[in-house]
Amino acid sequence: ESKGRGNQPRGSRNYHSKLTEEIAAQIISRYNEGEHQNALAEEFNVCQTTISKVVCGISWKHIKEKQ
């Protein structure tokens, strides 16, 4: 019996999420084009740390940049 360990919903299925898969992919793309993390954080109403974790693949690691 796992007692709920390791069964957390990923991405926008997690009810705490402020981002969606589409927005995370957009953040990665725009960061790779040279946009600053602080500007992205302000636009999407999240902290800069959240943006950093998205672009570094720490969170939302199942999202890849849309080509």
Side-chain angles (χ1 to χ4, degrees), residues 4 11 14 24 30 38 54 56 65:
N14 187 317
R30 289 172 58 182
N38 286 329
V54 171
C56 292
E65 178 183 356

Side-chain angles (χ1 to χ4, degrees), residues 2 4 6 9 15-16 20-22 24-26 28 34 45 47 50 53 61:
S2 69
Y15 71 96
H16 289 293
T20 65
E21 283 78 4
E22 294 81 18
Q26 184 180 9
I28 294 168
N45 199 30
C47 65
T50 301
K53 288 180 178 182
K61 59 180 127 183

Side-chain angles (χ1 to χ4, degrees), residues 24-33 62-67:
Q26 184 180 9
I27 288 169
I28 294 168
S29 177
R30 289 172 58 182
Y31 176 78
N32 288 339
E33 292 172 1
H62 63 286
I63 299 297
K64 303 295 182 206
E65 178 183 356
K66 291 187 178 181
Q67 301 298 328

Side-chain angles (χ1 to χ4, degrees), residues 34-63:
E35 201 158 339
H36 293 280
Q37 290 184 11
N38 286 329
L40 292 166
E42 188 173 316
E43 179 178 340
F44 294 108
N45 199 30
V46 295
C47 65
Q48 180 272 329
T49 305
T50 301
I51 301 296
S52 178
K53 288 180 178 182
V54 171
V55 299
C56 292
I58 296 169
S59 62
W60 294 87
K61 59 180 127 183
H62 63 286
I63 299 297

Side-chain angles (χ1 to χ4, degrees), residues 1-26:
E1 199 169 321
S2 69
K3 297 184 181 179
R5 294 183 190 100
N7 293 330
Q8 294 297 321
R10 295 176 92 181
S12 60
R13 291 181 180 176
N14 187 317
Y15 71 96
H16 289 293
S17 175
K18 290 185 176 182
L19 303 176
T20 65
E21 283 78 4
E22 294 81 18
I23 292 174
Q26 184 180 9

